Each structure stands twice: as structure tokens, then as C-alpha cells.
Amino acid sequence: MGVMIAAFMRGVTRLNDVVGRWIALLVFAMFAFLLLEVGFRYLFNSPTVWTNELTQMLFGIYAVMSGGYIMAHRGHVNVDLLHSHLAPRKRAVLDIVTSAVFFIFTLALLWFGIDMARESMSSWETSYSAWNPPIWPVKLAIPVGTALLVLQGLVKLLEDIAVAFNLDYYTPEESDSEGEQL
Amino acid sequence: AAPAAAQDTVTWKVQSHWPGSSSSYTDSLGRIKRVLEERTDGRLKLQLYEAGALFKAKETFNAVSRGILEMGTISPSYAQDKVSLAGIASGLPFAFRNVWEAAYFHQNMGFEQMLRDEAAEHGVYWATDKVYPTEMVVKNPIESWEDFTSLKIRSSGALQNFLTEAGAAASYIPGGELYTALDSGIVDGAHWGASQGAYSMGLYEVAKYHVQPALNIAGTDVIIVSQKALDKLPEDMQKIVKDALNEQFWVRTNEYQYKERITLAKAIAEQEVQVNVLPDEVQDKLVATAQKMWDEEGKRSENAQKALDMLKSYLSDLGYL
Amino acid sequence: MSIEVLTLLFFGALLFFLLLGLPLAFVLGGVSVVFLYFTWGFDSFYMVASQIWGTMESFTLVAIPLFVFMAMILERTGVARDLYRMMHLWCGGLRGGLALGTLGICAVFAAMVGISGAAVVAMGTIALPSMLERGYDKSMALGVINTGGGWGILIPPSILMILYALITGVSVGQMFAAGIMPGILLMVLTAIYIIVRCHLQPELAPALPKEERGTWPEKLRALRAVLLPIGVVVMVLGSIIGGITTPTEAAAMGVLGALISAAVYKQFKWSILQEAAIRTFKLTGMIMWILFAAHAFSAAYQSMGAQELIEGLMNMVPGGPWGIIIAMMVIVFLLAMVLDPVGIMLITLPVFMPIVESLGFDPIWFGILFVINMEIGYMTPPFGFNLFYLKGIVPPSITMKDIYKSIIPFVIVEIIGIILIMIFPEIATWLPDLFF
Ligand code: NA
Ligand code: NA
């Protein structure tokens, strides 16, 4: 049982890590497309219909897919006034309690994100701009990104449970306990 | 659900696609709110929300369709993936030449009913708020075809395609950056409604030429009501709502025309704006390009083809084709 | 339940869960969902998903990853470090010299961006490590970045000012012009504070020991370090002012400038770029998830009837015209703790503007007060977006408490600035009157 939980936790964290490392590279694409548009418009006086919209779509995916990766790296900021005075076990108990609020938000978002994506995919929705690209993949990114976040939240919950009740499927590493240095 | 009892008070949440400062927010939504409250003796109240307060403009149709919102205002283009006629409703370039022609097409030739039928499939009652022109403002007057084709224009949607096809360089810039873009010369023309829209966005501060004729004339503002919410009202109130919406179209179309003229006159007097009538040569070429593009809209659905054929025969009757 | 009670519960729940240590994004989102459930029902959760979609579609936010990426590259390649070394050599004798230099860079950065989150994070990246390395007190370093990074919405271009103009119907050009002098005023006041404070407590901002101040040839050689940053600034500002790009696209010019700088430093390496990209992803995502939830929160609060609350409050305010203006400032300041700027404007301006105009005040002047106040709201404890953005980039040794403490004197300085602008409206209105 413990082995399986540990494997699940490692698997989710690794998945988020891989996804994050790839999605992070989208910043190069956004940069390139914006620059391209400026070039086309300013140098050749022929703005494109697709660069800014494509940049926009990439940005949407980039932003919404970041949730799980950031959670895995303790990057969602919080107020640590109380946290910094608590012993690890008490902190874990507190985090277990407040995780209810986390799950209420992310599960509501997941539910309606799926709903929204399904509706969009039922008509293979396009943007109806001048370029008119399909936008359902961007809407689909909402439930996918949220699911990654929910999974990572589950990992965090399992960690907290392990710490709070001294279970042996997880031992916190030192570097893991505080926000890492950027 | 059972219809509400006759004496119950019902409050509808209404999401606008206009900001609160827009004249239409008070003139259209304020009016319908007042009229409905009066005629139902206060049994139906509208709680108005400004653009973006609860839902972004493009999400309002979905929210009304799901019955989360009871009412909303949109531009037909925000419902294009649901309503195949939305493209024609948001305006084919250089089709109508006068506002009354578009009004007649909607109300007397049955186009409004066709829209209403399509929207009904999504649980939405469709009522065009008004028909009005979309007109451009430019920094330098257009005096020749060359002037037109060397323009960089801020545009969106179907008109962006049209202007590009016609040879200008049309690009999309979000509303928040439009003023800066015009001011610094990233674009040298833009359309945001007609004179009231341009005035409200401060565009006349940086672009002094108001171009006529209109790029299109269309039912660009629509009031949508959730069928679910409508069905919950007692019969007499349902009738009051529908009648008020029908009346709204005529009142607002006329009033809007008046305000367009007043605003343009004010811009001319106070901000030294000039009306730039496109030379015949330019107009002819634009009309030719436009007509080639209309056929695209017909390809969306059988219904759209039917509406397009109806439009073309109407324009022939008017002697324009 | 009345909106007054709802407001207390809503904001109370927010503060409660924040203090318990749940990340801001999830507190905002979770509390919104719970309150939506009780006031509007299960189906209204669709609004949360819909607001997130709307935020993803907001083009002006694309500037955030690009400006952060630019800052990351400048920092990692050593361009920023050399810039601070140069400043230290030249202002070595002046106590607080680096803080003053940072303030100047902040002002330049503010002229490049129209939104505030990007500026705070980018300046934190560039300036914070350099100041801490040189023994600056962390309160001083954090305070300067928090306050200066916030000027992005006051010094044009500013998305907030455009929005204010759109909602109230005043001229965008006049708003932009009106922001310049108050921006300079705040800069001067903050600079005076830094100079006086560092003079009284030299340990906050240690001067460079005499023997390390370098010879003239060394100083002159160090000057080369400003060339690249100036080049980047010229590329960004030049392309905005010259009509080549919109402010959002200008962010891409900034990245281009940073990449050229990296090449000049012979640091144009995949490993460096990749690391910069990943750190950019982390920070942008942090900001964006806060924004996602904040937009849902604003929408939830508005659906509960926030505007009625403001109307009710305004009817209760005693104290004549000035009492009303001050009450409005306090309301904006309080709302800025928890709501995004668009939400604040949508809730308050329709109520405020008719009153402001009927009292005979200049809406442009009021707009400047409004924007500064919002900015102060974003940087004051216990709650403000800038505080959280800053927390996202600082090393683990710096806690939220450190950030809270650092900001107090800087807030007092900004409040003095706002009082000056209230007493002497000409500070805001002189330039627009001159130009328009
Ligand atoms: Na700015
Ligand atoms: Na605050």
C-alpha cells in the first residue's frame, strides 16, 4: 500500500515536472511571434492576422498549465506568519484542514472546465476572428491544467498526512520544506 | 418549474456587453429595465451588471443559454459558434446604404424571426436592440485608392478580413491599447462603432477624420433572454417582456441615429473633426470586394444561404445590385 | 443576508484562510466558490471557469512573461550585476546610492510597462540580489522594489488609466499627461526618504569602503555596463514612443535587447536561456493563478451586490465634499486589498463619478488619486498583490513578515504624496491643461 502511494506521488510530481519543463519553452514562441508581427507590420507594412492571436492562445495554455508544476515546486505564494512559527507536524495538520478550500476551488473548476471544454469540442469551436483558428484546444487546456493541479494537490495532501501521522510512505527532504531559492 | 405566482417579485441578473459609460448602457439597458418595472408594476426587476462584471462578453450567450443569467446583451459575433446567421447579423460590408433598410430587413422581411428560431435551439430568446452603422476614423483623409491601400487599420472579425482583402493592412489591437496605438501611429485608422463609439474611446483626440459611408449597417447589439427564465414568468409578464423588446428595436434604432448625428456634430465643433467622404473610385472598389465576400457567409449553413439569397434579392429590389 | 454582512463574512473568510497559510490563489478561488454556492447556487461555478477563460484571453497580460523573461536574462547573464557594480563604484560614497539607483531604474521600467505585476517581479529579479549582496538591509531593498515596481500603473503607458478613461469618459491623453508629475513627485519624496534615512542609519545601506571605490580609469571602464541596459531601454521605449509597437509588443523588443546583451556578454547559452525560461514560467504562473482566482473573486463579489454596498456607504458619509473624497479614497484603498483593478473600477466608479462631478472636482485629478490609492492598496499589509508577487521571488530567508515590515515607511511617503496632490491639484492638472 505504502509503496503504491509513494509511487503515485513520485509519478505525479515527475509528470508535472516534465509537462512544466516543456510548457516553459513556450515563452520563446510568444517572443518570436510578437517580434515577427512587429517586423511584418513595420518593415513590410503587412500585418498578419495570426501572430497576435496565436501568441494569445499560447499564453493561455502557458498560464493555465502552470498550476501543477508550481505546486510541485512550492511556488504558489502564501502568508507564512503562522506557518513559520509552527512545528512541521502541526503545520501539516493545519495544511490538511485548509486543503478543503483548495479542493473546493480546483474541483469546481475542474467540473465546469470539463463542461466548457466538452461544449467547445462538440462544435469544434473556432474563434471567428479574421484568422478563425480552432480554440477548443485552449479551452481543453483548462481542465487538463486543473487536473494536473488537483493531482499535485493530492500529493501535497498525502505528504501532509504522512508528516502529521508519522506514516512511512513519505519522508520530507530538507530542500522540500521551504520555497526553493529562485 | 411552475410559473411564478402573479404577485411574486422576480429579479433577473442582466450582464451587459457595454461599459457603464457607454450611452447604450443607460439608453438601452436602462430603458428596458425602467419599462419592464413599470409595466409589470414592479414584479419584474432587472439587476444590471457592466461589461465583464460577471461574464466576459463572449461568454454571455453561454451563460444565458445555461440559464445562469436570465438576460444579457451581446454582439451577434459572440454567438457565432451557436447561431449560423450571426455572421450576416453582425453585418455584411457595404450591403445596406441606410439604417431604415436594415431595420426593414430585420423586422418586415423576417430576418429577425430567422435569428430568433436559431437562438431558440439553445434556449435563448433573441431580440435585436437596434441597427446602426459602423464607421471608421482615420488620422489622414482618404482621397484616393492609394491612400486607402496604404492604411494600417485597427479592425476585428469579419471587417478585418474585408479590409485586408480590399488591400489595406488591417490588424487587431485590443480596446485597451487602441488609443495609444492610434496616437503613436502603429495604426492610422480604426473603427469602434461609429461616432459615439469613437468619441467614448477618445479616438477623435488622435484621429480627426470621420470616414463615411459606413463599413456596414447591422443589428450589432442584441438583447438575449433565457427561455427558462421567460417560461417561469406568468403569461401576462411574458407578453410584456416580448412586447417591450419589440418596441425597443424601433425606439432605439431611431434614437441612436439621432445621437450619432449629435455626437458627430459635437466632435466637429469641439475637436475639429472633419467628415471624410470616400471618393467614388474608392467606394466602387470597396463594394466590388465586399460583394465577392458575401458568398462566404452563405456557406455556413442552409439557413445562412437562405438569408443571403433573401438579402440579395432585397438589395436588387432596392436597385443596388 | 444583507450585503454588509456578506462583505464581512466574505473578506473575513479570506483573511482567515490566508493567515492559516493556504496560498493566496486557492484562498481567493475557494472562498469565491463557497460564497457563490450559498448566494447563487451550484450552476454559478460556471462563472469561475468562464472568468479563467476570460483572463487567458487578455492580450495585455502577455507582457508579463516577456518582461519577466527579459529581467531573468539580464540577471543571469551578469548584465544586471555589472550595472549595480557600476552604480556602486560611482555612488560608493553616497549612503543609499544603490537604493536611489534602483528607484531610477524602477521609474524607467514603469515607463516601459502598463501593468504592475510584471514590474515588481522584474525589478525584484534585477535589483534585489545585487542590493542584498552589498550588505543592504533587506527592509530597505524590499521597500524600494515594492514601491518603485508599483509605479508601472501611474507613469504612462498605463492600462489602468486607459480603463479609467473608458469607464468615466475622460480623455486618455489627459490622464497620461496627468500621471507624469505625480509620478515624479512620488519619486522625489521616496528619494528624500532614502537619503535622510540612510544618512541617519548608515548600516541600512553601507557605503563602499574608501579603498574599494576604485580609481577613475576603473570607474570609467565600469561605465560600459550601462550601455547594454540603456540599449534595452531604448529598444523598448523607442518602439512604443516611435509608434513601432504597442506596449505589449514592446515587451518582445525588451527580450530581444536582453538576448543581444547576452550575446555581447558571451552568455548566449542554451543552459542559461532554459533556466531563465523555467524561472519565468514559475513566476508568470504564480501571478496568473492569482489573477485567475482574483477575477473569479471580483465577479463573485459583484454578483452579491457589491455596488449597492458602495452606494449605501456613500450615502452615510458626513463631512462635506472633502469628507466624501477621503471616504472614497479609503474605500478604494480597502478594496485594493482583495480585488483586481478592473473589479474595483467596475464596482466603485459608477457610484463615485456622478458624486465627484456634482461636487465640482476635476475627474482627471480624481483619477490620479484613484490610481495612486489603488497602488498603495496593492503594497500594504496584510494583503496586496504586489506583496505576494514579491514574496514569489525572494530567497527563502526572507519571510512575509520581513516584506510587511519593509513597506510601512514607503507607504507613509506615498500617503504624504497623495495629500500633497489633494492640497495642490495642480500637480496633476498642470500638464494636461498645458497640452490639451
Ligand atoms: Na507605465
Ligand atoms: Na493592501
Side-chain angles (χ1 to χ4, degrees), chain C residues 333-334 336-338 374 376-385 387:
Chain C
F333 169 76
L334 291 177
M337 288 196 176
V338 284
M374 210 162 356
I376 297 179
Y378 288 149
M379 60 186 241
T380 43
F383 199 100
F385 292 120
L387 298 167

Side-chain angles (χ1 to χ4, degrees), chain A residues 24 27 30 62 70 182, chain C residues 64-73 121 273-287:
Chain A
V27 73
M30 291 188 260
Y62 181 84
I70 295 171
L182 281 163
Chain C
I64 296 178
L66 294 170
F67 273 124
V68 172
F69 192 42
M70 176 191 90
M72 289 290 169
I73 298 174
V121 171
L273 294 182
Q274 192 191 23
E275 200 205 334
I278 286 174
R279 299 200 317 158
T280 302
F281 181 57
K282 230 184 264 181
L283 287 172
T284 306
M286 182 255 310
I287 296 178

Side-chain angles (χ1 to χ4, degrees), chain C residues 343-395:
Chain C
I344 298 174
M345 289 190 174
L346 284 178
I347 292 170
T348 60
L349 287 179
V351 182
F352 286 176
M353 289 325 286
I355 303 177
V356 168
E357 278 168 24
S358 73
L359 292 175
F361 290 111
D362 182 345
I364 301 261
W365 164 81
F366 181 76
I368 296 300
L369 293 185
F370 195 96
V371 171
I372 299 180
N373 239 302
M374 210 162 356
E375 198 45 60
I376 297 179
Y378 288 149
M379 60 186 241
T380 43
F383 199 100
F385 292 120
N386 289 357
L387 298 167
F388 285 89
Y389 298 158
L390 200 54
K391 178 73 173 24
I393 46 165
V394 296

Side-chain angles (χ1 to χ4, degrees), chain C residues 21-246:
Chain C
L22 186 67
L24 171 63
F26 310 139
V27 176
L28 284 167
V31 170
S32 311
V33 169
V34 171
F35 276 75
L36 277 174
Y37 181 77
F38 288 110
T39 57
W40 198 353
F42 180 76
D43 284 340
S44 67
F45 297 172
Y46 178 72
M47 193 170 79
V48 176
S50 163
Q51 283 291 339
I52 285 174
W53 170 241
T55 312
M56 287 162 72
E57 280 206 310
S58 172
F59 185 69
T60 47
L61 296 179
V62 175
I64 296 178
L66 294 170
F67 273 124
V68 172
F69 192 42
M70 176 191 90
M72 289 290 169
I73 298 174
L74 290 178
E75 201 262 330
R76 275 296 124 130
T77 53
V79 177
R81 196 184 52 228
D82 283 0
L83 179 66
Y84 272 82
R85 201 178 85 88
M86 181 281 295
M87 289 203 300
H88 217 190
L89 281 179
W90 280 80
C91 321
L94 178 64
R95 289 168 190 169
L98 288 190
L100 292 175
T102 303
L103 217 54
I105 303 176
C106 280
V108 173
F109 209 95
M112 307 200 298
V113 299
I115 44 186
S116 89
V120 174
V121 171
M123 281 311 301
T125 307
I126 294 173
L128 191 64
S130 294
M131 282 196 280
L132 293 181
E133 253 169 50
R134 292 177 173 81
Y136 267 57
D137 176 64
K138 55 187 172 186
S139 278
M140 181 54 79
L142 291 169
V144 169
I145 292 166
N146 200 337
T147 205
W151 293 338
I153 55 172
L154 181 63
I155 298 174
S158 158
I159 300 290
L160 283 198
M161 286 188 183
I162 291 178
L163 204 65
Y164 178 88
L166 183 64
I167 295 178
T168 61
V170 303
S171 145
V172 184
Q174 285 186 320
M175 272 306 285
F176 278 5
I180 295 172
M181 297 256 295
I184 294 174
L185 172 74
L186 289 183
M187 213 161 77
V188 170
L189 289 177
T190 314
I192 291 174
Y193 162 73
I194 293 172
I195 292 171
V196 172
R197 181 88 195 269
C198 294
H199 186 77
L200 297 176
Q201 291 169 280
E203 70 278 9
L204 294 181
L208 198 61
K210 271 225 170 63
E211 59 280 11
E212 287 175 35
R213 276 179 208 162
T215 56
W216 275 103
E218 260 182 273
K219 282 186 183 178
L220 289 174
R221 240 178 297 131
L223 258 190
R224 283 187 312 195
V226 290
L227 292 180
L228 286 172
I230 287 181
V232 175
V233 169
V234 167
M235 283 178 76
V236 176
L237 276 186
S239 56
I240 295 176
I241 297 168
I244 298 169
T245 69
T246 64

Side-chain angles (χ1 to χ4, degrees), chain C residues 398-411:
Chain C
I398 294 177
T399 64
M400 203 62 169
K401 203 160 132 199
D402 295 325
I403 298 178
Y404 282 177
K405 275 197 305 200
S406 73
I407 202 61
I408 294 163
F410 290 90
V411 168

